[in-house]
Amino acid sequence: MKLLDISEISKQTGVAASAIRHYEEKGLITSLGRRGLKRLFSADVLDQLALITLGKTAGFALDDIAKMFGPDGRPALSRPNLHLKADELDRQIERLSVLRDMIRHVAECKAPSHMECPKFQQLIRISNRRKRGRVEKKRVPERSKP
Amino acid sequence: MKLLDISEISKQTGVAASAIRHYEEKGLITSLGRRGLKRLFSADVLDQLALITLGKTAGFALDDIAKMFGPDGRPALSRPNLHLKADELDRQIERLSVLRDMIRHVAECKAPSHMECPKFQQLIRISNRRKRGRVEKKRVPERSKP
DNA sequence: GTAGCAATTCAAGTCGACTTGAGGTCAAGA
DNA sequence: TCTTGACCTCAAGTCGACTTGAATTGCTAC
């Protein structure tokens, strides 16, 4: 298997070398060894980095990402907790859709101030309704395995 | 018009008083005056704070939010730039959808490591394709008005 | 062997969005 | 009038995710 050094990984993914080191330190990825001081990575980390980047843009913390798709390939979160994360994303997607509609509306609206615009107010009410309607699901505690 | 003090605003919106002061300092909201030292706000800021909170969960910086829905009610961004923001949100929504599908899949997948799972790899390819396909639209420079 | 150069370590710095803490002020109620 | 408590200001601290800088290290090429 061909091994890649950090500059190669960085070039192909667009992730800074310092960030890659940082991810290894936090346990999100692993290097397969060294040539001298230099880390060597398998090509798999290219996908892993894509996943990390994706998770980050979704607003997840690095620790969360590590738990969802650890470098070992087995998630450290239970199935119910993974579904909670997915549900969280569904709500986030809804919120973003409302916001996007608001921005599009602000771009076109003729009203002197968007706060006075009835349609805008309606969108705000929608977002408030969603917020209130949101079920505050608790994290299911992980059971330590025997 | 009934004026509200900071604790009332905080109670109704769930936003900490220190954060509300911070937003005023950054120009996202304005208080209508003081009674003694204490700020007085119009009820409008309740909606404005809802909007700020929404923008934040979408990953926008406070400065961006201020430009999109300033306290004066007129966006400081041009129509094209607002549409760019909306497009940005559309892409973000797509990314989140892919990630959500990945997480749901990881929760159910029987494969020993998700990186080995063909379906998972396919999802990664989808997200990479979207990333590459993404048009890097530049911010349209604002023209200073005469 | 030695110069060059990329990669390394480790500590410290940065950035945004607040929070915290110390000390101050003032409208309102007893 | 005096006390109380909420709110104030201002500086400093925190947190996550890196970045930066200085001082090594060790392949590779000459």
Side-chain angles (χ1 to χ4, degrees), chain B residues 30-98:
Chain B
T30 5
S31 53
L32 292 188
R34 302 280 180 122
R35 170 164 42 244
L37 278 183
K38 309 187 180 183
R39 289 164 176 81
L40 294 174
F41 294 95
S42 112
D44 293 353
V45 306
L46 297 174
D47 282 343
Q48 293 183 31
L49 285 175
L51 207 47
I52 292 170
T53 304
L54 186 57
K56 265 166 38 79
T57 75
F60 286 113
L62 292 188
D63 290 351
D64 279 7
I65 297 173
K67 282 178 204 143
M68 292 186 295
F69 328 92
D72 51 354
R74 282 169 293 105
L77 286 183
S78 66
R79 196 166 298 187
N81 274 334
L82 286 171
H83 278 296
L84 287 184
K85 293 279 183 196
D87 295 346
E88 195 180 303
L89 277 176
D90 271 329
R91 285 190 301 273
Q92 177 73 350
I93 287 170
E94 286 237 1
R95 281 193 292 265
L96 294 194
S97 305
V98 172

Side-chain angles (χ1 to χ4, degrees), chain A residues 3-117:
Chain A
L3 298 181
L4 309 171
D5 68 3
I6 206 168
S7 64
E8 190 60 27
I9 301 276
S10 175
K11 204 176 301 169
Q12 290 194 37
T13 59
V15 177
S18 60
I20 296 173
R21 279 191 286 270
H22 184 62
Y23 295 156
E24 189 186 10
E25 208 169 335
K26 295 215 81 182
L28 278 85
I29 56 177
T30 6
S31 55
L32 292 189
R34 303 279 179 121
R35 168 166 44 244
L37 277 184
K38 308 186 181 182
R39 290 165 177 79
L40 294 175
F41 294 95
S42 112
D44 294 353
V45 305
L46 297 174
D47 283 343
Q48 293 183 30
L49 285 174
L51 208 46
I52 291 169
T53 304
L54 186 57
K56 265 166 38 80
T57 74
F60 286 112
L62 291 188
D63 291 351
D64 279 8
I65 298 173
K67 283 177 202 143
M68 292 186 295
F69 328 91
D72 50 355
R74 282 168 293 107
L77 285 182
S78 65
R79 195 167 297 186
N81 275 333
L82 285 171
H83 278 296
L84 288 184
K85 294 278 183 197
D87 295 345
E88 196 181 301
L89 277 176
D90 271 329
R91 285 191 300 275
Q92 177 72 352
I93 288 170
E94 286 239 0
R95 281 192 293 266
L96 294 194
S97 305
V98 172
L99 184 59
R100 174 203 53 198
D101 293 345
M102 282 180 157
I103 293 176
R104 289 234 160 88
H105 181 72
V106 165
E108 298 304 334
C109 184
K110 266 37 176 204
S113 148
H114 49 261
M115 281 304 182
E116 293 162 24
C117 165

